[in-house]
């Protein structure tokens, strides 16, 4: 089991930039093709009116962000969007819902979405809030490949950002996901007013899990008008790249995703992130509710950098799951 101390990580983090990048690239090249980047597409399947108070989030019902709320969308609509994502070259389809946690009555529709997307030969990911052990088991039985649940920040800074659920709730959900056999996608957000010690605290929590997350999204705060974090200072790009490099060194076998915030990053900054070991992105014009770079712009950037989309190694086997095989459905 990994056992990184905060002091060790602080020392790594504070190295001269070029030494840090060299170390990160060396580790990256031991486990990955440095010229391949995994490509995922996001879709919001239930938008807005979320009861939680995450200070960064445009979807919380507590903040007036002018977002149009939508109930859980139809399976056909999800599959049409997934088909487009597949045609555009995505290998993973991530479905997100603005829930504190899913209701058992939602499970049958979610199972249909998972079945349909897998049948197209794409990996599936969902982010639906907290899961009970049973719910994690149901989603795993339905064939869901990844579950995204972010720790967001350090245990100490967390209470400045969210009060409606605690850090331990997040760790409990991640444990249920791990025990169910699904892969974990978990990371955080930089630029919420936290200090470097908090960024180190987040990375140490992720890296020291008995099995670190297979996928680690590093988001840069998207400042949305109406949220409590709307007026945060811009985050230093070099500090962002450092954090990506440290994530790469601490979790050598994980995909590190250059996640939200790319719309506000220069091509040079994104190129540095790929040099530092980032090897996954969200592709397509929209994240959940905010803008992401145009697909054509990303294609052009990949071309300039000689980066190819990472092919799906082994498409996870598709097995039709009958609803009556999933408890509660
Ligand atoms: N409601 C579920 C939950 O919170 O677990 C799933 C959806 S939630 C929108 C997924 C993640 O998106 C959050 O944990 C957060 O890390 C990220 N996120 C949300 N708003 C963001 C923003 N404005 N900037 C960057 N990341 C954001
Ligand atoms: C993650 O870490 N970032 C994604 C995904 N996991 C679900 C979400 C980013 C959301 C950005 C704000 C929005 O578009 O609403
Ligand atoms: Fe709700 Fe998730 Fe947004 Fe928090 S991050 S307010 S739980 S949708």
């Amino acid at each position: 089991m990994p056992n990184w101390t905060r002091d060790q990580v602080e020392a790594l983090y504070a190295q001269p930039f070029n030494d840090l990048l060299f170390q990160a690239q060396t580790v990256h090249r031991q486990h990955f093709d440095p010229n391949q980047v995994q490509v995922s597409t996001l879709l919001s399947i239930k938008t807005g009116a979320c009861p939680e108070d995450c200070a960064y989030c445009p979807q919380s019902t507590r903040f007036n962000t002018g977002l149009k709320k939508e109930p859980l969308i139809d399976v056909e609509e999800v599959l049409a969007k997934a088909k487009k994502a597949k045609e555009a070259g995505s290998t993973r389809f991530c479905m997100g819902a603005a829930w504190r946690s899913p209701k058992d009555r939602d499970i049958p529709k979610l199972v249909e979405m998972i079945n349909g997307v897998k049948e197209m030969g794409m990996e599936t990911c969902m982010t639906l809030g907290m899961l009970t052990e049973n719910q994690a088991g149901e989603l795993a039985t339905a064939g869901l490949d990844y579950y995204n649940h972010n720790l967001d920040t350090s245990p100490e800074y967390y209470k400045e950002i969210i009060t409606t659920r605690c850090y331990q709730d997040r760790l409990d959900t991640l444990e249920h996901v791990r025990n169910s056999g699904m892969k974990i996608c978990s990371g955080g957000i930089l630029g919420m007013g936290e200090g470097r010690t908090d960024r180190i605290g987040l990375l140490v929590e992720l890296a020291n899990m008995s099995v670190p997350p297979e996928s680690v999204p590093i988001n840069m705060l998207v400042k949305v008008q109406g949220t409590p974090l709307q007026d945060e200072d811009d985050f230093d790009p070099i500090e962002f790249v450092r954090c990506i490099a440290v994530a790469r060194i601490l979790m050598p076998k994980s995909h590190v995703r250059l996640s939200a915030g790319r719309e506000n990053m220069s091509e040079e900054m994104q190129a540095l992130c790929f040099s530092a070991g980032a090897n996954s992105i969200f592709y397509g014009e929209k994240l959940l509710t905010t803008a992401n770079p145009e697909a054509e712009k990303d294609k052009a950037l990949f071309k300039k950098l000689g980066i190819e989309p990472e092919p799906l190694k082994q498409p996870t086997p598709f097995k039709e799951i009958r609803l009556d095989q999933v408890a509660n459905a």
Side-chain angles (χ1 to χ4, degrees), residues 85-140:
K86 161 115 183 166
E87 284 162 3
S90 262
T91 55
R92 191 178 309 162
F93 197 64
C94 309
M95 296 159 268
W99 283 326
R100 175 177 163 82
S101 48
K103 302 268 181 304
D104 287 339
R105 63 166 185 266
D106 299 317
I107 300 286
K109 217 166 156 183
L110 299 172
V111 168
E112 277 187 68
M113 293 175 189
I114 297 165
N115 272 319
V117 176
K118 280 181 80 85
E119 201 171 6
M120 291 176 199
M122 265 193 286
E123 290 184 315
T124 48
C125 178
M126 282 185 168
T127 180
L128 314 167
M130 293 185 286
L131 293 185
T132 62
E133 201 179 333
N134 261 345
Q135 289 173 326
E138 286 166 357
L139 294 172

Side-chain angles (χ1 to χ4, degrees), residues 35-85:
N35 302 311
Q36 284 189 351
V37 168
Q38 191 280 330
V39 173
S40 298
T41 294
L42 259 179
L43 175 70
S44 180
I45 58 171
K46 186 268 165 187
T47 306
C50 181
E52 303 298 279
D53 69 352
C54 313
Y56 48 75
C57 188
Q59 305 204 64
S60 167
T61 186
R62 294 160 199 247
F63 317 136
N64 191 358
T65 60
L67 188 70
K68 193 173 156 270
K69 57 181 194 212
E70 270 178 42
L72 186 59
I73 61 178
D74 288 335
V75 178
E76 292 69 35
E77 195 178 337
V78 173
L79 298 186
K81 293 271 169 49
K83 187 165 172 273
K84 275 198 170 161

Side-chain angles (χ1 to χ4, degrees), residues 241-258:
V241 178
R242 278 186 182 275
C243 198
I244 295 269
V246 175
R248 164 52 60 224
I249 296 165
L250 263 44
M251 293 169 275
K253 296 185 182 166
S254 308
H255 278 87
V256 174
R257 181 173 308 121
L258 178 53

Side-chain angles (χ1 to χ4, degrees), residues 50 54 56-59 96-100 127-130 147-150 152 165 170 187-189 219-224 260-261 288 290:
C50 181
C54 313
Y56 48 75
C57 188
Q59 305 204 64
W99 283 326
R100 175 177 163 82
T127 180
L128 314 167
M130 293 185 286
Y147 194 78
N148 166 251
H149 199 62
N150 290 339
D152 279 346
R165 55 164 99 137
R170 296 202 178 233
I189 308 179
N219 298 276
M220 188 168 81
L221 176 69
V222 179
K223 291 181 249 176
V224 179
L288 288 173
T290 64

Side-chain angles (χ1 to χ4, degrees), residues 26-39:
T26 307
V27 169
H28 191 193
R29 282 166 185 268
Q30 284 164 4
H31 299 281
F32 291 101
D33 180 333
N35 302 311
Q36 284 189 351
V37 168
Q38 191 280 330
V39 173

Side-chain angles (χ1 to χ4, degrees), residues 4 13 25-26 54 71 88 126 143 148 150 160 175 206 208 238 256 267 295-296 324:
W4 289 94
Y13 209 126
Q25 258 218 20
T26 307
C54 313
M126 282 185 168
N148 166 251
N150 290 339
E160 307 295 326
E175 192 182 326
L206 294 167
N208 283 351
I238 300 293
V256 174
E267 288 196 335
E296 287 308 317
D324 60 4

